[in-house]
Amino acid sequence: MTAIKNPEVTIIRELLKANSGFVSGNRLAEIIRISRVGVWSHMEKLRTQGFVFEAVRSKGYRLVEKPESLHPLLIEANLVARKEPPPIIFLEEVDSTNSEAERRLANGEEAPFIVIGRSQTAGRGRLGRRWFSGDSGNLLLSIAFRPNLSPDRMRNFTLWMSVNLCEAIANTCKISPGVKWPNDLLYEGRKLGGILTEARIDSDQTRDVIFGLGLNINGHRENWPKDIASRTTSISDALGHKVDINRLTAVLINRILTAYKQFIGNDFTDSFSNMWEQFDLLRGKQISLLQGKTRFQGIASGIDDSGALRLKLNTGAELAVHAGDVTIEKK
Ligand code: BTN
């Protein structure tokens, strides 16, 4: 009998399932296919990582405390919906999780894989902006894929992913964010998260895609630089209490992987238009869109099939724009 691949993940998963109840050492040993002494030695290792267990001779082990911050074992233990989740590369500090994913793709690493950073020294956003990425209780995540689809087929990728994230957050956290085209997640007018999708195109095929997500989960805006704090929020600021970041991260990873599969299989178009209507924050609003040095002003009226933002300009003309920086002028 060979021991299973990830004994510590399995131990944590079983103890979480027991919901603060006891799980016998025998049962853990049986599931993991190791001796009870083996179980004990894994428990000791977990103790050094911030897990607190109560051990009672006749009952077994009970999880009393777990790390509150991001922890790779807890993320994986919560990914119960996936039998074989993609590998998670967890880094205490990285320049940018997107850059790390890019380097690994360039080295031929098999995709999909997930990179999570506790902090980034050079986190980046769209349009060359910086993404504030101290160790702040927020999620900094990239998932690398090799879709091998024509660039044309990738057009609505970020938009599709963004509405899926909104729905997953709404279902899990009971706050309902929306999307500000093309890549901002907002809650009550403040930025909750952002998506940076980066692709490499090779002889007319989208060879690699890196889906980067920065989501403010347990950070407090008082801890951010003033200029950022005035425009941002986090899930915990919105709810008034912290959330289980590892569970939420697992939910989001699971959702991103499912949404990706639907996208690649072209099995998303029906749900997409409904979901876009539900989460689109711009429809019917007076907006201003900056494209380089050109500014367009008008009323946003949804997106077209290619994902371009439709605008009824103040001049009366209609326009569909593929890129730009949007400001909502009137609610
Ligand atoms: C934006 O709003 O402009 C997009 C921000 C995306 C930030 C995330 S954090 C994880 C990943 N790594 C990065 O360097 N950027 C993305």
Side-chain angles (χ1 to χ4, degrees):
M1 241 188 338
T2 43
I4 61 162
K5 241 208 256 156
N6 236 328
E8 277 143 34
V9 170
T10 308
I11 291 175
I12 299 297
R13 191 173 284 169
E14 287 303 308
L15 294 175
L16 287 175
K17 236 182 5 192
N19 210 2
S20 304
F22 282 92
V23 181
S24 76
N26 269 343
R27 179 164 162 67
L28 292 174
E30 208 178 282
I31 300 174
I32 306 166
R33 299 188 214 131
I34 52 172
S35 67
R36 286 188 55 179
V37 176
V39 171
W40 178 84
S41 97
H42 283 300
M43 304 298 276
E44 288 306 296
K45 242 168 93 192
L46 287 166
R47 280 192 167 105
T48 64
Q49 296 176 44
F51 291 89
V52 179
F53 307 104
E54 183 185 358
V56 174
R57 199 176 268 278
S58 57
K59 294 183 176 167
Y61 299 95
R62 188 170 83 82
L63 182 61
V64 179
E65 239 178 85
K66 56 185 190 322
E68 255 190 29
S69 60
L70 274 172
H71 194 293
L73 288 178
L74 277 170
I75 299 171
E76 228 178 306
N78 276 291
L79 259 174
V80 266
R82 304 248 151 209
K83 257 208 172 127
E84 297 259 336
I88 299 176
I89 298 113
F90 186 88
L91 302 163
E92 288 297 323
E93 187 180 277
V94 60
D95 51 353
S96 147
T97 53
N98 270 33
S99 303
E100 179 65 25
E102 201 179 314
R103 289 188 286 268
R104 287 172 181 261
L105 283 169
N107 276 341
E109 204 152 308
E110 201 182 310
F113 62 84
I114 300 165
V115 183
I116 297 178
R118 193 181 299 286
S119 65
Q120 296 181 130
T121 52
R124 57 177 186 268
R126 220 168 58 96
L127 307 171
R129 292 183 182 132
R130 184 172 82 93
W131 185 258
F132 183 69
S133 312
D135 170 12
S136 52
N138 294 330
L139 179 63
L140 310 162
L141 161 133
S142 301
I143 307 192
F145 301 102
R146 295 191 199 271
N148 279 326
L149 285 181
S150 72
D152 211 39
R153 274 282 318 277
M154 294 302 292
R155 281 183 317 202
N156 286 320
F157 181 70
T158 302
L159 305 183
W160 168 242
M161 292 307 220
S162 66
V163 288
N164 273 277
L165 287 171
C166 284
E167 195 172 76
I169 294 168
N171 291 344
T172 317
C173 304
K174 312 292 173 234
I175 63 161
S176 194
V179 184
K180 187 183 111 195
W181 182 96
N183 73 323
D184 282 343
L185 306 185
L186 302 191
Y187 179 70
E188 292 188 339
R190 288 169 171 268
K191 186 140 169 168
L192 186 68
I195 295 170
L196 180 67
T197 305
E198 294 178 313
R200 199 176 62 180
I201 296 160
D202 254 4
S203 52
D204 222 23
Q205 286 286 87
T206 307
R207 172 75 57 94
D208 313 321
V209 164
I210 299 166
F211 175 78
L213 169 69
L215 184 67
N216 303 333
I217 298 185
N218 283 333
H220 280 302
R221 48 175 178 257
E222 297 93 73
N223 299 335
W224 296 331
K226 269 211 174 79
D227 58 319
I228 301 178
S230 61
R231 306 179 262 115
T232 41
T233 189
S234 66
I235 293 179
S236 67
D237 276 339
L239 289 172
H241 60 82
K242 284 194 174 175
V243 296
D244 184 337
I245 191 170
N246 292 298
R247 194 171 87 81
L248 178 58
T249 300
V251 167
L252 297 177
I253 289 175
N254 191 40
R255 186 61 180 251
I256 294 166
L257 296 173
T258 305
Y260 175 79
K261 199 165 166 217
Q262 291 167 323
F263 188 85
I264 292 302
N266 216 359
D267 177 22
F268 75 105
T269 42
D270 290 351
S271 343
F272 181 45
S273 47
N274 288 339
M275 283 168 81
W276 186 260
E277 256 182 48
Q278 185 185 344
F279 293 110
D280 177 12
L281 290 175
L282 298 185
R283 185 181 282 266
K285 304 238 168 85
Q286 172 73 36
I287 65 157
S288 149
L289 183 138
L290 195 60
Q291 235 181 29
K293 286 192 173 135
T294 317
R295 185 177 293 282
F296 300 101
Q297 285 173 303
I299 308 271
S301 54
I303 52 171
D304 68 12
D305 287 346
S306 70
L309 180 70
R310 289 163 47 195
L311 262 181
K312 282 191 187 121
L313 295 181
N314 293 350
T315 57
E318 294 200 8
L319 196 71
V321 280
H322 280 277
D325 199 19
V326 172
T327 313
I328 302 175
E329 294 194 322
K330 267 188 237 141
K331 310 240 155 163

